[in-house]
Amino acid sequence: MCKSLYFKKFYSLVLLLTTLISSSNAFAQTKRGGGQVASTQSKQSAPKCSGAWTGTITYTRTQNMTNNKTVERVSGRGKDTTDWQMKYDYKATVSVIESPDKNGSSLGKATIDHKFSSIEKTSAVEKKLVRPRQNVEGYERRINFKNRN
């Protein structure tokens, strides 16, 4: 037999069983007892719900980003390095209680903690050029470069 014929028979059997089970009352719930409350139980009504929502809501968000790059100078006499870092933390908590009016409305109190930092460090490195000392009409020029971090 072909695979598609097996599949058709299996599918038909599943469809038939589903139809039979859904039309029967075998799984339905029935009411039991005479509907009378025992005399030992007192007839108390459940407390009325005002419909107000109560609870706690918490929302957090964290973001981080970095950008590090080194760029050669156009003159070819050094490079500039930049290191940047950003960090963002946010947390909010809202506590919700039922209003004193008991009319279905709610009151909320929020606490928010927010931190943000951005740090950028830039450093420049100059290449020392080797030049002979030059005297121009009695003027001596000296070039000294010092790297400071």
Side-chain angles (χ1 to χ4, degrees), residues 13-27:
L13 180 64
V14 169
L15 186 61
L16 179 66
L17 287 175
T18 305
T19 306
L20 290 175
I21 290 173
S22 65
S23 65
S24 70
N25 291 330
F27 298 108

Side-chain angles (χ1 to χ4, degrees), residues 26-60:
F27 298 108
Q29 294 180 358
T30 59
K31 187 175 182 181
R32 295 192 178 147
Q36 297 180 7
V37 177
S39 61
T40 58
Q41 295 178 351
S42 63
K43 294 183 179 181
Q44 295 179 355
S45 64
K48 186 179 178 188
C49 178
S50 68
W53 188 90
T54 59
T56 303
I57 302 165
T58 303
Y59 175 78
T60 59

